[in-house]
Amino acid sequence: MDTSIIESEALHLPPSERAKLAHSLLLSLENLSDIELKEAWLDEAQRRADEIDQGLVELISAEEVSAKARLLLK
């Protein structure tokens, strides 16, 4: 099953349906074993590293993130 196709289809759902789907997916993660959680985080880290290596995402410095967070908290 190709997750990019699933993601693309899910993004075409109405907001309320996307929220329900996201909630269900998040709840499904609560039942993972420690090993499964570790693997999931490693997969996510690899996916993000690949996006960076391919230039698909814009990197933001920690200083900029902190400054934006402080502005939001005011």
Side-chain angles (χ1 to χ4, degrees), residues 44-71:
E44 179 65 13
Q46 185 62 57
R47 183 188 67 76
R48 291 180 184 198
D50 291 344
E51 286 179 345
I52 292 168
D53 292 343
Q54 295 169 18
L56 299 175
V57 295
E58 178 184 346
L59 298 179
I60 302 172
S61 71
E63 293 81 13
E64 186 177 344
V65 171
S66 293
K68 287 182 179 181
R70 283 191 294 277
L71 285 174

Side-chain angles (χ1 to χ4, degrees), residues 23-61:
H23 182 70
S24 294
L25 291 171
L26 287 172
L27 287 177
S28 74
L29 295 175
E30 291 182 4
N31 298 323
L32 297 179
S33 69
D34 287 346
I35 291 171
E36 290 171 317
L37 281 172
K38 182 178 179 180
E39 288 176 4
W41 277 113
L42 288 173
D43 289 346
E44 179 65 13
Q46 185 62 57
R47 183 188 67 76
R48 291 180 184 198
D50 291 344
E51 286 179 345
I52 292 168
D53 292 343
Q54 295 169 18
L56 299 175
V57 295
E58 178 184 346
L59 298 179
I60 302 172
S61 71

